[in-house]
Amino acid sequence: MGVFIIKRFVAMIVTLLIIITLTFFLMHAAPGDPFDFDAEGGISEQARQNLLIHYGLDQPTHIQYFNYIKNLATLDFGPSMVSRSRTVDSMIANGFPASLVLGFTTLIFSVISGIILGVIAALRHNRMVDYVTMIIAVLGISIPNFILAMIFIKYIGLQFDFFPVARWGTWRHVILPALALSSGPIAIIARLTRSNMLEVLNQDYIRTAKAKGISPTRIVMKHALRNALLPVVTIMGALTASVLTGSFVIERIFAVPGVGRYFVESISNRDYPMIMATTVVYSTILVVMMFIVDLVYGLIDPRIKLHKKEG
């Protein structure tokens, strides 16, 4: 296990380095720079050149890259090119807690709700509950989360005044954006859990457990559900990426003071340090989640062992 963890950790570092490298060079390969303004309302060419020199953008791209990697090693993301009175580190530190709470709440709600719906649908196969659950799952996948966000704002937030529709502060502000953001993951997990539960419930060892008189609840919880969750655990990394990237739009709609608003603004303003910082932060979360998935996969299914290859 120790060797496996070390190998996976090295793979994580290499993956992050590849992501950072590709993002950096692709970003700089795009035409123009952050200080390209039109002639009417922009700045003079001399002022533009001074800004390029100040931020080191006058240097060759490979020199900029190595300087960035050197600063990144000390967790220094550099100054923002738009909010020049603040550093990227302070902006990330200011917005990340809200994004983390929203993302964590969404993942927990998605996993719990999706598994419950999937199990109920499987246990009530070809009955009304099964049909209703799958219809909800199809709608969750088909309708974009920003459309659901608008519906939640209009009816749940404004018409019935159940939850606030903007700003941030208490747990009540998390509910609507988390609901909108979790619609797709809930649908995916519910359908996946249902299909795998149906397959597991038809296995011979389940029939044997029933013949031995084991209670249905114990059969489902101890035997069937554990094996049915393996594919769900596998897709958790991809679902995490979906939640993180989807939160950018949802944060803007609900005025959540998270990192998403900085990321959207940095793209439109070509704020290189902020683009790179958000890429690094979210990529790190994604590869760490993939690492955790690998470990949990082996814990859930004891049949999965780490064997040392014999030479």
Side-chain angles (χ1 to χ4, degrees):
M1 178 62 74
V3 174
F4 172 76
I5 293 176
I6 293 174
K7 289 182 177 180
R8 291 295 298 140
F9 180 79
V10 173
M12 286 169 48
I13 300 300
V14 173
T15 302
L16 279 174
L17 187 60
I18 292 174
I19 294 173
I20 292 170
T21 302
L22 290 176
T23 304
F24 187 91
F25 284 101
L26 287 174
M27 182 177 61
H28 282 76
D33 58 61
F35 309 112
D36 278 337
F37 298 97
D38 56 30
E40 294 182 1
I43 59 177
S44 66
E45 181 62 25
Q46 183 60 49
R48 175 177 170 275
Q49 291 298 325
N50 292 337
L51 286 172
L52 292 177
I53 294 173
H54 176 73
Y55 288 102
L57 298 180
D58 60 319
Q59 299 177 354
T61 306
H62 68 279
I63 298 298
Q64 297 181 45
Y65 171 75
F66 287 117
N67 289 335
Y68 182 80
I69 294 297
K70 182 178 65 175
N71 293 331
L72 187 61
T74 60
L75 298 180
D76 180 11
F77 291 110
S80 171
M81 295 180 181
V82 176
S83 300
R84 297 168 191 169
S85 61
R86 304 177 62 187
T87 63
V88 173
D89 300 69
S90 65
M91 297 169 70
I92 294 291
N94 182 59
F96 188 71
S99 296
L100 183 63
V101 169
L102 177 58
F104 184 75
T105 303
T106 300
L107 283 176
I108 295 299
F109 182 72
S110 300
V111 171
I112 294 176
S113 301
I115 290 175
I116 291 175
L117 289 175
V119 170
I120 292 175
L123 296 178
R124 298 292 184 268
H125 183 50
N126 288 333
R127 299 181 184 179
M128 182 59 66
V129 175
D130 184 21
Y131 298 143
V132 172
T133 301
M134 289 302 99
I135 290 174
I136 294 174
V138 171
L139 291 176
I141 296 175
S142 304
I143 303 177
N145 54 28
F146 61 86
I147 298 296
L148 288 176
M150 298 299 183
I151 296 175
F152 292 159
I153 289 174
K154 177 175 175 59
Y155 293 102
I156 300 179
L158 297 178
Q159 185 167 333
F160 296 102
D161 196 24
F162 287 153
F163 299 102
V165 299
R167 301 305 174 189
W168 198 254
T170 67
W171 65 269
R172 300 180 71 249
H173 293 86
V174 185
I175 301 301
L176 289 186
L179 285 176
L181 197 55
S182 62
S183 60
I186 287 176
I188 295 173
I189 293 174
R191 291 180 63 87
L192 195 57
T193 303
R194 172 184 177 272
S195 62
N196 284 282
M197 277 291 294
L198 290 175
E199 182 180 350
V200 170
L201 289 174
N202 290 321
Q203 297 294 321
D204 291 338
Y205 70 90
I206 296 296
R207 297 192 185 98
T208 302
K210 291 179 179 178
K212 290 181 177 180
I214 300 177
S215 65
T217 301
R218 186 179 179 186
I219 291 175
V220 171
M221 299 302 297
K222 186 175 180 179
H223 301 285
L225 184 59
R226 185 172 185 174
N227 291 322
L229 287 182
L230 290 175
V232 176
V233 173
T234 304
I235 66 169
M236 282 306 299
L239 283 180
T240 302
S242 175
V243 169
L244 292 177
T245 54
S247 67
F248 295 157
V249 178
I250 297 300
E251 286 182 13
R252 294 285 290 182
I253 293 176
F254 287 96
V256 177
V259 179
R261 59 180 177 141
Y262 294 133
F263 183 72
V264 174
E265 293 172 357
S266 67
I267 293 178
S268 59
N269 296 321
R270 301 195 63 172
D271 189 352
Y272 290 166
M274 179 56 69
I275 294 175
M276 290 301 303
T278 50
T279 301
V280 171
V281 170
Y282 284 106
S283 298
T284 301
I285 295 174
L286 178 57
V287 297
V288 169
M289 281 297 301
M290 297 298 292
F291 174 68
I292 295 175
V293 164
D294 288 341
L295 295 181
V296 174
Y297 204 84
L299 294 176
I300 291 180
D301 191 351
R303 297 170 300 177
I304 300 175
K305 302 294 183 182
L306 299 175
H307 296 283
K308 183 179 180 181
K309 294 184 178 179
E310 298 181 359

